[in-house]
Amino acid sequence: MSEVRYTDQHEWIRIADGIGTVGISKYAAEQLGDVVYVELPAPGRKLNSGGEAAVVESVKAASEVYAPAAGEVTENNPALEGEPATVNADPEGAGWFFRLKLSAPGDLTKLMTKDQYTEFLKGL
Amino acid sequence: MNTPFSEELRRTPLYDLHVALGAKMVPFAGYEMPVQYPAGILKEHLHTRAQAGLFDVSHMGQRFLIGPDHATTARALEAMTPGEFQSLGQGRQRYSLLLNDDGGIVDDMMATRPLSPDEDGELFLVVNAGRKSVDDDFIRARLPANVRFVLAEDRALLALQGPAAEAALARHCPYAAQLSFMAGIKTTFDGVPCHVSRSGYTGEDGYEISVPAEEAEDVAKALLAEPEVLPIGLGARDSLRLEAGLCLYGHDIDETISPTEAGLTWAIGKRRKTTRDFPGAARILFELLEGPKRKRVGIRPADKAPAREGAEIVDQNGKRIGVVTSGGFGPSAGAPVAMGYVDASHAADGTNIGLMVRGTARPAQVVPMPFVPHRYKRSTTGL
């Protein structure tokens, strides 16, 4: 079964078989507005937990996306190059950014569960 | 708790309406303003170009110069600007620049001469929100004793922009259809006295409507009830004016930049070039003759990554040659667009340049502006 965790920077990561799929939360996508460009990490790139991983640009501004956990990028989402608006349409599904092979799966325990994240949003 | 440093944000007469429409409100130039409505910046932008958008620009400064006759008031304004105002026709509007003694731009603004001979001697000014206090001091310090400077703080300003603006506005204000680009008159909107000019800052045909503050909400609601009209926030206002190649004060123009560098030489009156009697004339006329050292240019990034304000511009060898002053995604252009200043040697259309985005020089090209053709209604049989 897959498990989703959230960061306080509004990234999500869904784990299955030691591979994490990463994107930005529905809340983040709504805050950004219309996404017009996404810059994704190339496969093979090693990411540190909390390190800069991707950039998402709306009409108004550019925002960093941070790696929720350490690992090596295995693939990124080719659909976002042609259709960056997928991030708005389905931020926690088809709008995923990249996948990574986790180097320290224990990192994830520090992240929020869906319920914890929902509570966290109420406090913003 | 109040601290001496806390800045109280002001609200326009349409604040409650923005909130009721679901706008996201942000601080801008000392005001709480709608940056976007639920439709979002992209849809708001495209809707304005396809039909009509309503903008609250009440934060902008509405002012009057009032002198004994037109020639006196026009001369007073000419002492601070490079514009030709003495020959400005009745009911005509002109874009101009307040200039400091070094020829730097203190603000850009609109000035309209009344149509009615009874009001001749007045000029109606609209200045930028963020420059109001600077402009007020600047203007007051330069006016002769017989020309008064009056703030119209009790008025709201709405902009209705887009190809359907004429049809929508004419249902409430039939005279609007008679106006040509850069004409302005006093008329009525559903019986409410207002000042309407055919102008705006999106590159589209459209109007700016000045109304008494207490009538603003009714006027806005009447326009929003028209099928062509959606409310548009500051986000789309910015992307629309960028695509139209128009300068945003504090970004593309400021007190260090001359009209020559900014490519605004068309705002210098022909007579004024001969009389050489405007602030900074020595520098500006020298730059007109010799060419300025740096120039504002349009920029098209080659790939899809937008370059934002502040991005360095480099030449083919990586040497810094300028900086982006406005940049983002152009929804109608369907691509990133930018403007910025480059050394004059790199300002020719077609010049290949690099834009530093996140530490990498990304290929781009100097291109003519606007990015989207202007669609002003320059000629009708009316004013």
Side-chain angles (χ1 to χ4, degrees):
Chain A
M1 233 194 79
S2 69
E3 181 189 8
V4 185
R5 295 288 176 123
Y6 293 84
T7 73
D8 58 5
Q9 300 292 314
H10 309 287
E11 293 93 8
W12 55 264
I13 182 166
R14 182 178 288 113
I15 312 297
D17 302 326
I19 299 287
T21 301
V22 177
I24 64 169
S25 71
K26 183 163 180 281
Y27 172 84
E30 281 168 2
Q31 290 297 307
L32 281 171
D34 304 298
V35 173
V36 295
Y37 177 75
V38 181
E39 198 158 276
L40 298 169
R45 191 170 139 197
K46 291 189 174 66
L47 302 175
N48 296 321
S49 179
E52 288 174 13
V55 176
V56 56
E57 303 223 19
S58 66
V59 181
K60 200 69 192 147
S63 309
E64 303 283 355
V65 176
Y66 302 99
E72 182 176 328
V73 177
T74 58
E75 62 178 313
N76 58 40
N77 187 354
L80 298 190
E81 192 180 340
E83 280 296 330
T86 310
V87 177
N88 299 108
D90 190 7
E92 302 194 21
W96 63 277
F97 280 36
F98 58 89
R99 295 201 164 107
L100 76 172
K101 189 171 181 347
L102 300 177
S103 51
D107 283 356
L108 297 172
T109 56
K110 297 175 219 154
L111 302 180
M112 289 177 270
T113 63
K114 177 119 193 155
D115 287 350
Q116 286 168 334
Y117 181 66
T118 307
E119 277 304 304
F120 170 72
L121 290 182
K122 284 180 192 163
L124 294 182
Chain B
M1 198 180 78
N2 262 326
T3 71
F5 303 105
S6 75
E7 195 191 348
E8 195 73 22
L9 288 175
R10 299 177 66 183
R11 293 174 174 181
T12 75
L14 295 180
Y15 175 85
D16 291 342
L17 180 61
H18 299 314
V19 172
L21 290 167
K24 187 194 283 186
M25 304 299 287
V26 299
F28 179 83
Y31 284 79
E32 271 185 272
M33 296 299 289
V35 67
Q36 65 173 84
Y37 297 88
I41 297 174
L42 205 62
K43 283 201 182 79
E44 291 171 27
H45 176 116
L46 295 171
H47 183 87
T48 304
R49 295 235 189 275
Q51 296 194 57
L54 182 69
F55 304 72
D56 179 12
V57 288
S58 303
H59 57 316
M60 297 185 82
Q62 302 184 63
R63 275 97 178 92
F64 287 95
L65 293 178
I66 304 175
D69 52 69
H70 176 68
T72 305
T73 311
R75 273 197 301 271
L77 186 56
E78 286 185 356
M80 317 170 205
T81 67
E84 165 63 76
F85 288 102
Q86 294 186 43
S87 70
L88 182 66
Q90 291 174 324
R92 296 297 304 174
Q93 184 176 46
R94 191 154 284 169
Y95 173 84
S96 198
L97 305 162
L98 295 176
L99 296 180
N100 62 30
D101 291 338
D102 301 322
I105 301 170
V106 175
D107 200 4
D108 61 343
M109 53 162 239
M110 288 286 195
T112 311
R113 181 179 179 183
L115 180 64
S116 163
D118 299 341
E119 290 158 0
D120 226 12
E122 292 184 13
L123 285 172
F124 173 50
L125 311 182
V126 178
V127 303
N128 280 301
R131 299 296 287 175
K132 279 192 279 197
S133 64
V134 170
D135 292 351
D136 292 350
D137 291 346
F138 183 90
I139 292 169
R140 283 196 185 102
R142 284 160 182 77
L143 281 184
N146 59 350
V147 178
R148 288 186 298 137
F149 184 59
V150 178
L151 309 187
E153 296 289 76
D154 53 347
R155 299 188 74 81
L157 191 64
L158 308 178
L160 185 68
Q161 299 281 296
E166 179 187 294
L169 181 57
R171 287 176 210 130
H172 305 272
C173 174
Y175 204 86
Q178 307 284 321
L179 298 175
S180 65
F181 183 56
M182 300 298 270
I185 50 149
K186 280 189 177 172
T187 178
T188 57
F189 182 105
D190 293 343
V192 173
C194 62
H195 183 276
V196 174
S197 66
R198 197 154 196 168
S199 56
Y201 221 59
T202 59
E204 297 298 323
D205 181 28
Y207 299 88
E208 289 192 346
I209 308 151
S210 170
V211 292
E214 64 274 15
E215 309 281 1
E217 189 168 320
D218 284 348
V219 170
K221 281 179 172 168
L223 288 169
L224 290 171
E226 296 300 336
E228 302 94 339
V229 181
L230 278 185
I232 311 295
L234 290 178
R237 182 168 166 81
D238 191 47
S239 54
L240 287 159
R241 70 92 200 161
L242 171 58
E243 281 185 342
L246 301 171
C247 294
L248 180 61
Y249 195 88
H251 301 260
D252 310 301
I253 46 179
D254 63 33
E255 292 200 16
T256 69
I257 294 170
S258 72
T260 353
E261 293 173 321
L264 300 172
T265 52
W266 51 269
I268 305 171
K270 201 171 168 185
R271 172 177 54 86
R272 309 297 307 276
K273 288 180 195 169
T274 317
T275 53
R276 309 171 67 93
D277 58 350
F278 54 89
R283 168 192 178 181
I284 291 167
L285 294 169
F286 176 81
E287 287 177 349
L288 267 179
L289 205 65
E290 300 289 324
K293 286 198 184 73
R294 57 178 177 177
K295 281 184 179 171
R296 184 172 66 95
V297 295
I299 299 162
R300 280 268 201 179
D303 64 14
K304 288 183 178 172
R308 309 280 176 180
E309 179 178 359
E312 279 196 9
I313 305 173
V314 296
D315 67 10
Q316 299 288 73
N317 302 316
K319 183 175 157 264
R320 189 184 194 278
I321 53 164
V323 65
V324 170
T325 52
S326 284
F329 181 77
S332 301
V337 292
M339 62 171 90
Y341 284 83
V342 295
D343 294 346
S345 54
H346 291 81
D349 292 340
T351 305
N352 290 315
I353 56 173
L355 301 175
M356 297 303 294
V357 178
R358 294 182 281 279
T360 320
R362 321 230 175 177
Q365 201 168 55
V366 174
V367 298
M369 289 189 284
F371 298 100
V372 172
H374 292 163
R375 295 196 290 179
Y376 305 134
K377 286 286 160 62
R378 288 192 187 273
S379 57
T380 66
T381 49
L383 241 186

